[in-house]
């Protein structure tokens, strides 16, 4: 299996979870990759031949059990490397993605197990994505995004999207995982949300709020 194939499998897996759909459409994949529908179709045909994905015409694409195994292996390697790079080497969270992308394809199962144990079997990467354990099981992913909350709600951040520009923005505004916010107001017309953390006010766009996830806290 080559790197492009492994990346496809991983992306199908992640998009299925992100969109809470069991089947993905070709155009959802081409949008994510920035490739044409035609090249996505060609790759899907290849992966189908290898029994990694199944494609139901007019319905969509899903991973076979074999494909899912590959996806979990890739996701696991990616997130374990991210923990190593941030925790042990001090690489900032906005910069680990590119290296983790390369390392995930180049790590033998033996080394990955050693690395996982060395790190104390972490359950999440620095962006809050769950890390599958040795049996491939993982905690559920936080799917409630900040933009879905209403005025008066309280919220704790447990996951953010792994996009460099977003992470740099969050650094600039000192927004981190585990932070707790009160939703002060939501202005749908202008697409803005005002939040408060320990009395400090912050206004962010709903576009940014869509990339921040967590859970509701009981109101004070
Ligand atoms: Zn991550």
């Amino acid at each position: 299996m080559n790197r492009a194939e492994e990346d496809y499998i991983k992306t199908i897996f992640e998009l299925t979870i992100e969109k809470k759909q069991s089947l993905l459409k070709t155009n959802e994949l081409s949008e994510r990759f920035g490739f044409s529908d035609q090249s996505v179709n060609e790759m899907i045909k290849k992966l189908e031949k290898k029994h990694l994905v199944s494609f139901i015409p007019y319905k969509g694409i899903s991973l076979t059990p074999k494909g899912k195994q590959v996806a979990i292996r890739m996701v696991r390697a990616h997130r374990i490397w991210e923990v190593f790079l941030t925790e042990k080497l001090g690489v900032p969270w906005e910069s680990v993605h590119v290296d983790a992308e390369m390392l995930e394809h180049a790590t033998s199962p033996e080394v990955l197990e050693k690395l996982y144990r060395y790190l104390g079997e972490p359950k999440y990467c620095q962006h809050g994505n769950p890390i599958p354990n040795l049996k491939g099981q993982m905690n559920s992913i936080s799917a409630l995004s900040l933009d879905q909350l209403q005025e008066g709600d309280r919220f704790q951040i447990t996951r953010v999207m792994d996009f460099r520009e977003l992470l740099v923005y969050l650094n600039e505004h000192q927004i981190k995982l585990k932070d707790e916010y009160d939703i002060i107001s939501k202005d749908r017309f202008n697409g803005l949300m005002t939040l408060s953390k320990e009395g400090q006010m912050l206004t962010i766009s709903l576009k940014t709020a869509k990339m921040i996830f967590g859970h509701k806290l009981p109101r004070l």
Side-chain angles (χ1 to χ4, degrees), residues 112-128:
L112 193 68
E113 283 340 306
K114 287 213 160 80
L115 187 59
Y116 181 59
R117 292 222 176 82
Y118 171 70
L119 294 168
E121 310 194 0
K123 291 195 162 58
Y124 294 93
C125 78
Q126 265 59 25
H127 310 100

Side-chain angles (χ1 to χ4, degrees), residues 100-111:
E101 279 294 308
M102 293 191 281
L103 291 163
E104 71 185 27
H105 300 282
T107 315
S108 69
E110 293 75 22
V111 166

